Amino acid sequence: MLIAAIAGVMTWSLLEYLIHRFAGHSRGFAKKNPFGVEHTAHHSRGDYFAPWWKKGLFTLAFVAVVLPVASALGGVAIGVAYTAGLVGFYLVYEVLHRLLHVWEGVGPYARWARRHHFHHHFHDPRMNHGVTSPLWDIVFGTWRRPARIDVPVKLAMRWLRDPATGEVYAHLREDYALRGR
Ligand SMILES: [Zn+2]
Ligand SMILES: [Zn+2]
């Protein structure tokens, strides 16, 4: 069951990459699927996220397909463990992605995850599609190590700027700068 749960986690990790890269960013297709439309709005507005009810409905529909199939293949216990690993790690991704945008975070992983993701947002949306890890970017050759990240002033994260001065907080200036003002 532990192996099934880990397989579920790895399945989400791969889906996170594939959905973002192909449904979110492939030319043409991104305009024609609901994830792509929401994701384009997320990129152009910065603090926009698709509403929870859409994510909830998608998750329910997904579980309604995956759980019976996994249970038929491996038995109910294995099917439940696999689905729980997959959906559980999907929820981790959702929370993490939201936090990247709204909170500065603490520790080396928080710093890495924000730099990895904001390089994707503000420098090259063809790179760094993974959010929770760089694994599939490395596998598929879309990984870039970010240099200093230049954030458009209009899309600046709320944790980046000191509201008193409008400048990037001093302790973040090594990692980020503002452009477009
Ligand atoms: Zn984002
Ligand atoms: Zn994107």
Side-chain angles (χ1 to χ4, degrees), residues 1-12 59 62-63 66-68 70-71 76-92:
M1 277 180 70
L2 182 64
I3 291 168
I6 292 170
V9 166
M10 292 308 294
T11 304
W12 170 257
T59 307
F62 191 74
V63 168
V66 170
L67 184 57
S71 302
V76 171
I78 296 288
V80 168
Y82 176 77
T83 308
L86 203 168
V87 173
F89 198 49
Y90 162 70
L91 293 174
V92 167

Side-chain angles (χ1 to χ4, degrees), residues 35-54:
F35 174 83
V37 171
E38 292 287 3
H39 192 66
T40 303
H42 172 64
H43 270 267
S44 59
R45 283 153 65 186
D47 58 354
Y48 174 81
F49 293 87
W52 288 109
W53 65 265
K54 282 194 188 174

Side-chain angles (χ1 to χ4, degrees), residues 20 25 39 43 120:
H20 186 190
H25 288 284
H39 192 66
H43 270 267
H120 168 81

Side-chain angles (χ1 to χ4, degrees), residues 63-126:
V63 168
V65 174
V66 170
L67 184 57
V69 170
S71 302
L73 290 174
V76 171
I78 296 288
V80 168
Y82 176 77
T83 308
L86 203 168
V87 173
F89 198 49
Y90 162 70
L91 293 174
V92 167
Y93 152 80
E94 280 289 357
V95 171
L96 177 72
H97 182 215
R98 182 75 64 129
L99 288 177
L100 299 183
H101 283 267
V102 302
W103 181 47
E104 183 191 330
V106 282
Y109 176 76
R111 179 174 178 234
W112 171 84
R114 280 157 184 75
R115 291 173 50 69
H116 182 77
H117 188 59
F118 291 117
H119 179 86
H120 168 81
H121 266 271
F122 303 130
H123 284 268
D124 191 348
R126 296 166 305 171

Side-chain angles (χ1 to χ4, degrees), residues 136-157:
W136 302 104
D137 284 303
I138 293 168
V139 169
F140 295 116
T142 55
W143 182 70
R144 288 290 179 276
R145 186 191 300 279
R148 193 188 67 182
I149 295 167
D150 294 325
V151 181
V153 120
K154 282 188 197 137
L155 298 175
M157 299 76 82

